[in-house]
Amino acid sequence: MTATLDRPLPVASPAARSTRSSWLGFSAVLGAALMNLLDSTVVSVAAPVIRDELGGTNATLQWTTAGYTLALAVLLMVGGRLGDMVGRRRMLLIGTVGFTAVSMLCAFAWSPEVLAGGRVVQGAFAALMLPQGFGLIRDAFPPAEMAKPLAAFGPVMGIGAVLGPIVGGFLVDANLFGTGWRMIFLINLPLGVLTAVLAWAHLPKVAPTAAGTRLDWISVALSAAGTVLLILPLVQGHELHWPAWTIVSLVASVPVFMIFVRGQSLLARTGRSPLVEPSLAGKRSYVAGVGFATIFFAAMGAMFTIGMMLQIGLGYSAIGASLMMAPWAFGALVGSGVSGVLMAKLGRTLLHVGLALMGVGVLGLAAVYQVVGVELGFAAMALPLLVGGTGMGMIFVPLFDIVLGGVEDHEVGSATGALSAIEQLGVTLGIAILGTVFFGIIGAEPTAQSAVDAGSVTALVAAGLIAIGFVIGFALPRQARAGAHG
């Protein structure tokens, strides 16, 4: 396998690369991103059905979603660094093949523990394929043509975000060939094979940008240990009634992260390659951006609890819950389009407008839950979901480029990789924290009323997170960094 991957490919001129083959290679990048997007959203829709068949606790239910994003968060920077060291095309192929194979394991899981473990491994392979995307687009297209694929990337991903939960709900309820919820993983087989074939045939082989560089596995271990020490007790704590080890674990995560930061500084001083550029810690705007991104993505964990409320408490089917939440996804698509037009003009203000709308939408949901109660329907939830989703979408497009506004050119790669990891960590924290609140209120024997009460409280907690993010946002750069993703 390695010898074949190392076989030199014909060197194409820029003009030749900007052809049908370039776009087919772009399709491979898009396919990898869409597989991740699908698998990071559909499980929250299918989770109650999965628990009905496989059994398990509320904690294992959370782990089917949180385990994926946790592994992705821990290893995303590693995946990006490996792409620099051994080649982006190779890492995309390894990640895609591994992701597809582990999807089959998840599809045939015989226990909730096997499924949760498979999801962790699936997230690890996603961390190998996802960071290669923008670099591979840059390799496949000459600079003059870069704007076209990048302009297409955002809207397609937005449509994927809209359709992901709906497709997941349909696959569960359709029960194709008697597979039920397992089809949400089986669908990755044709998608993964097609993505791998397109990548093999049409992505150019480009020499690694950091060939010969060694990955510091101590840094990887410290980063992973700190993240697990933080997330594990948040997911398991309520289920186990907060034994002493959960508190010790939370406290221990702090010194582990401090040692990691010190280690990155030492690596930089001795001329080796750190996972994160230590100079970023001295940039107030970037540190604030990390806090902003963590809180913003954590607040998005409210969508996980809405799906649980509708299915576990109110008896909605998977497709019914997906359609109920569709206004949020549609609003996100609209908000993304609006922010793309206004980003250059409004800069940081766009983030505050988006957060304000997101907060209004979430508070609107809390109010609707209290007023309508167990008679919740599409008409009652549609408007606050649409407003909240529009606000969320307005933040997605400009967030990275605004956070990177005060970063130096040589720090952009490290800063972008760290932010991508923070995005996944924030999502994982949100599911852990809001899931803990939700399941703590709904109780061991859920009723429609306890589910609505739990949904209302978690919406208020999410609104509190949004308010904190709004304040932190004033420390971000006023304008976006042009071409940060290029």
Side-chain angles (χ1 to χ4, degrees):
M1 182 75 158
T2 302
T4 307
L5 285 174
D6 284 339
R7 174 173 52 83
L9 296 181
V11 178
S13 67
R17 289 203 311 269
S18 182
T19 60
R20 176 171 172 269
S21 185
S22 295
W23 284 101
L24 289 171
F26 171 73
S27 298
V29 174
L30 202 62
L34 285 173
M35 281 198 298
N36 167 69
L37 188 64
L38 185 66
D39 275 63
S40 61
T41 56
V42 297
V43 173
S44 61
V45 174
V49 180
I50 293 172
R51 188 174 68 172
D52 288 344
E53 180 174 330
L54 295 183
T57 64
N58 289 334
T60 54
L61 194 66
Q62 288 174 265
W63 274 118
T64 58
T65 298
Y68 180 90
T69 53
L70 175 61
L72 188 55
V74 168
L75 296 174
L76 202 58
M77 286 186 291
V78 176
R81 196 69 183 134
L82 288 173
D84 294 337
M85 293 164 57
V86 303
R88 299 187 186 100
R89 175 177 174 271
R90 176 185 290 182
M91 293 314 301
L92 181 77
L93 282 166
I94 293 172
T96 300
V97 172
F99 187 94
T100 305
V102 179
S103 294
M104 303 306 292
L105 171 65
C106 292
F108 293 106
W110 56 90
S111 72
E113 292 78 16
V114 170
L115 179 58
R119 290 284 287 165
V120 172
V121 180
Q122 199 181 30
F125 278 111
L128 298 183
M129 66 182 185
L130 281 181
Q132 320 310 330
F134 285 103
L136 285 170
I137 294 173
R138 188 168 53 236
D139 292 341
F141 291 85
E145 300 290 334
M146 277 287 293
K148 294 178 182 178
L150 291 179
F153 194 86
V156 171
M157 296 307 293
I159 293 171
V162 172
L163 295 179
I166 297 174
V167 170
F170 169 78
L171 290 174
V172 172
D173 280 5
N175 194 27
L176 299 173
F177 311 110
T179 57
W181 61 267
R182 299 177 190 273
M183 184 54 71
I184 66 173
F185 298 111
L186 291 172
I187 195 67
N188 286 333
L189 179 59
L191 290 176
V193 170
L194 178 60
T195 297
V197 169
L198 288 172
W200 173 267
H202 297 287
L203 284 174
K205 178 81 182 302
V206 177
T209 58
T213 303
R214 296 181 61 185
L215 188 65
D216 184 70
W217 288 105
I218 295 178
S219 296
V220 175
L222 286 170
S223 174
T227 305
V228 172
L229 285 170
L230 176 64
I231 299 296
L232 181 62
L234 290 176
V235 175
Q236 298 285 161
H238 173 75
E239 194 79 34
L240 301 175
H241 305 292
W242 298 102
W245 72 261
T246 59
I247 308 303
V248 172
S249 179
L250 285 171
V251 173
S253 68
V254 176
V256 171
F257 280 126
M258 291 176 65
I259 294 170
F260 171 77
V261 172
R262 293 285 297 272
Q264 299 307 288
S265 299
L266 178 61
L267 288 172
R269 287 198 305 270
T270 55
R272 289 175 287 174
S273 298
L275 281 179
V276 182
E277 189 65 43
S279 59
L280 292 170
K283 296 187 180 297
R284 173 175 169 269
S285 61
Y286 182 78
V287 173
V290 167
F292 181 94
T294 303
I295 290 172
F296 166 65
F297 286 108
M300 286 171 50
M303 297 309 295
F304 170 78
T305 60
I306 293 174
M308 297 301 100
M309 177 193 72
L310 292 173
Q311 293 183 73
I312 294 175
L314 301 183
Y316 279 81
S317 66
I319 186 64
S322 297
L323 292 174
M324 282 282 284
M325 295 187 292
W328 182 281
F330 180 76
L333 180 61
V334 173
S336 297
V338 170
S339 64
V341 174
L342 298 178
M343 182 173 68
K345 182 179 181 180
L346 295 182
R348 185 180 72 190
T349 302
L350 193 59
L351 298 183
H352 282 115
V353 173
L355 275 182
L357 288 174
M358 189 175 171
V360 167
V362 171
L363 287 173
L365 283 175
V368 165
Y369 295 158
Q370 291 299 312
V371 173
V372 180
V374 298
E375 302 299 323
L376 274 175
F378 184 84
M381 294 180 65
L383 182 58
L385 283 171
L386 181 64
V387 172
T390 301
M392 184 190 73
M394 291 176 70
I395 297 169
F396 266 132
V397 172
L399 176 58
F400 270 40
D401 289 347
I402 289 176
V403 172
L404 297 174
V407 170
E408 303 296 331
D409 289 344
H410 71 279
E411 299 169 326
V412 169
S414 178
T416 303
L419 269 181
S420 298
I422 287 295
E423 172 186 342
Q424 301 302 324
L425 179 59
V427 172
T428 307
L429 279 170
I431 293 171
I433 295 170
L434 295 177
T436 295
V437 172
F438 178 83
F439 288 119
I441 296 172
I442 199 172
E445 297 182 3
T447 65
Q449 188 59 55
S450 68
V452 172
D453 291 341
S456 179
V457 173
T458 51
L460 292 174
V461 173
L465 291 173
I466 293 169
I468 295 171
F470 192 92
V471 174
I472 294 175
F474 287 106
L476 300 181
R478 292 183 178 274
Q479 293 297 326
R481 179 187 183 88
H485 286 132

